[in-house]
Amino acid sequence: MRRQRHGRATGGLRRPRTGAAVAAALLLATGCEALDDDGGSPSGGGSQAPGGRAVSPLDNPDGTAPGLAPVTGDTGRAEARSLIEGLRTKGRGPRTGYDRDEFGYAWMDSADGVPLARNGCDTRNDLLRLHGRNVRFRAGSDCVVVSMDLYDPYTGKDIVWKKATAAEVQIDHVVPLSYSWQLGASRWPESKREQLANDTLNLLPVQGRANAAKGDSGPASWLPPNKGVRCAYAVRFAQVALKYELPVTAPDRRAMLRQCAD
């Protein structure tokens, strides 16, 4: 494992709130419960998130609210297009030198400048309890999620998940780390790459098969199978790219605009 260096964040990214206040807000928002409590029944799958918990990315600029709700209405789509039009474009560079460890070890809790960092719980478990319903923890822990119900926005399906079959739910980097490397992250300081890899804005728990199918594709090559959420996905992709001052390819930008057309 690489030795990690934790410097000050770059690129104008702000340090968010951390500590007990954020943890308490997270628990209230997600309906988490202890392992010894009884869980509720999972809801059926569908094109809308059960219980109306999913939030539009236009109303969730830091990614700390659950889900990924569709962008609807003429005003919402116009706002989405305006956001996407602000992206710079550039061709992909070589993948030479890319390694996951260049973005810090997986799901580190010590990346500076991102929500939920340094709260005593790793990024993966933070994301599971943020987006999951009927969350249950390992006995004696308020961090390690052992089961939950998850609405996957990419497929529009509800997943009843247990830690024993962990690969059924994977954490997707909306802007893939390899993609970012080829568009300029190879020249960033390590601290900024660690931010991107652990930022709630760039992370969504989704069906494992959908995440594997995406790989390091941009929106011109891969979009969520659930067509109703494609504009929202394009918005989230754009939000991440803009926050980190990362260009996208011209075909990706065109594909994103098409998803949010009138």
Side-chain angles (χ1 to χ4, degrees), residues 140-160:
S141 171
D142 61 359
C143 170
V144 180
V145 178
V146 297
S147 69
M148 64 174 184
D149 300 331
L150 176 74
Y151 176 79
D152 169 28
Y154 287 1
T155 62
K157 296 179 180 178
D158 225 20
I159 301 171
V160 179

Side-chain angles (χ1 to χ4, degrees), residues 121-130 143-146 163:
C121 191
D122 64 89
T123 303
R124 176 180 168 84
N125 279 296
D126 278 339
L127 267 289
L128 295 180
R129 63 179 181 169
L130 171 62
C143 170
V144 180
V145 178
V146 297
K163 192 172 177 63

Side-chain angles (χ1 to χ4, degrees), residues 57-226:
L58 295 172
D59 298 323
N60 186 22
D62 59 3
T64 55
L68 185 70
V71 173
T72 59
D74 293 342
T75 300
R77 287 181 173 269
E79 184 178 348
R81 291 193 300 274
S82 177
L83 189 76
I84 295 165
E85 286 167 354
L87 293 169
R88 294 185 296 115
T89 60
K90 181 182 177 181
R92 278 206 198 203
R95 199 170 182 270
T96 306
Y98 170 74
D99 188 276
R100 175 62 177 84
D101 281 354
E102 294 291 338
F103 293 78
Y105 63 88
W107 312 133
M108 60 193 300
D109 183 40
S110 54
D112 288 325
V114 295
L116 310 182
R118 301 182 185 278
N119 65 356
C121 191
D122 64 89
T123 303
R124 176 180 168 84
N125 279 296
D126 278 339
L127 267 289
L128 295 180
R129 63 179 181 169
L130 171 62
H131 293 270
R133 308 183 328 276
N134 305 319
V135 174
R136 305 183 78 183
F137 298 107
R138 177 186 294 168
S141 171
D142 61 359
C143 170
V144 180
V145 178
V146 297
S147 69
M148 64 174 184
D149 300 331
L150 176 74
Y151 176 79
D152 169 28
Y154 287 1
T155 62
K157 296 179 180 178
D158 225 20
I159 301 171
V160 179
W161 179 85
K162 295 183 183 299
K163 192 172 177 63
T165 54
E168 289 183 6
V169 168
Q170 297 177 12
I171 308 298
D172 178 46
H173 287 95
V174 177
V175 174
L177 301 185
S178 173
Y179 182 99
S180 74
W181 181 266
Q182 295 171 73
L183 270 297
S186 61
R187 298 185 295 276
W188 292 354
E190 187 175 18
S191 58
K192 186 175 179 181
R193 290 197 295 266
E194 290 173 352
Q195 283 181 274
L196 178 68
N198 294 277
D199 192 338
T200 55
L201 184 64
N202 194 33
L203 298 171
L204 285 172
V206 299
Q207 183 196 73
R209 291 190 301 278
N211 187 47
K214 173 181 171 178
D216 69 349
S217 298
S221 302
W222 185 91
L223 288 165
N226 180 10

Side-chain angles (χ1 to χ4, degrees), residues 32-44:
C32 296
E33 53 192 36
L35 181 60
D36 295 333
D37 293 342
D38 292 330
S41 301
S43 301

